[in-house]
Amino acid sequence: MAFMVTCESAEGSTTENYPRPADAYQRARACEASGINVTIRLPTGEEVSAEEFRERYLLKDAD
């Protein structure tokens, strides 16, 4: 299972795969902090924002 993080800016886009949710979220937040648009594609093919990803994958692990 891998999470695909796509960072899109005026200069182009980059896509990277991360096997761990925490790593994918960290990369997404770094892009957002730079003012870059981010989407995360789940293994199911669904695309979500970094915040929605955090709620689905990281907060449930904290319970």
Side-chain angles (χ1 to χ4, degrees), residues 10-31:
E11 291 81 38
S13 67
T14 61
T15 301
E16 299 173 80
N17 291 315
Y18 295 91
R20 294 179 355 147
D23 295 337
Y25 181 70
Q26 182 178 0
R27 175 63 178 146
R29 294 296 295 152
C31 289

Side-chain angles (χ1 to χ4, degrees), residues 35-51:
I36 298 171
N37 293 327
V38 176
T39 56
I40 301 173
R41 179 171 287 170
L42 307 177
T44 61
E46 180 182 3
E47 291 186 355
V48 298
S49 67
E51 185 62 28

